[in-house]
Structures are given as C-alpha cells and as structure tokens.
Amino acid sequence: EFQHISDVPGVMNTLYSLKKQRPRLLLKDWYGKLSEHSPDWYEMDHDLDEAPPFEVWLVQAGSRAGYRWQVDDTMSCEVNWLDPEPG
C-alpha cells in the first residue's frame, strides 16, 4: 500500500529498472493501491456512482512499459510511460 500518491512514480521506476535487468521477472499482474489511511484518500462521488481510481497497475504495450491508476478492469486513467516513445 502507498501512503502518498507521490510515492508511486519512484516505486514504478524501480520496478521498471528491475524488469529491465531481469527480463524473466514476472510482474504482469503486479499492482499496488493507495492506503485508506493516506492523506491523499478521498471518498467516491455518490452522485456519479464511481469509485476513485486508487489502484495502480503496470502496463505493457509492445516494447513500452508504464503504469496507470484504475478502479478495476472497466475504468482506468491515462498511462504514465516509464520509457521514451520509440522513434
């Protein structure tokens, strides 16, 4: 669990570096989540009936790797890429 949203990029960069060093390392289903005790936690908007995206998942798209916040498989945010876009 993460205590702050700002902790996530550093952890994801570390996981990305490990994966590059050890390509056989299985991180396909790895995810983390924001602690309910985090000062960054907020309640869902009951008018919209949507939960906030408090889970963070690794994303692999071809040769690119990144992460994104999401609620579940149906609602996700934009991918934060960890490597440069191929030329």
Side-chain angles (χ1 to χ4, degrees), residues 10-11 14 27 50 60 69 85 87:
V11 171
T14 299
L27 294 173
E50 293 179 354
Q60 188 76 38
W69 290 93
E85 188 172 354

Side-chain angles (χ1 to χ4, degrees), residues 25-57:
L25 183 64
L26 297 176
L27 294 173
K28 181 182 175 198
D29 294 324
W30 186 94
Y31 76 97
K33 64 180 185 174
L34 188 65
S35 170
E36 290 183 29
H37 303 290
S38 166
D40 298 334
W41 181 271
Y42 56 93
E43 296 298 321
M44 72 182 270
D45 185 339
H46 293 287
D47 293 335
L48 297 175
D49 197 31
E50 293 179 354
F54 286 143
E55 293 180 352
V56 62
W57 288 76

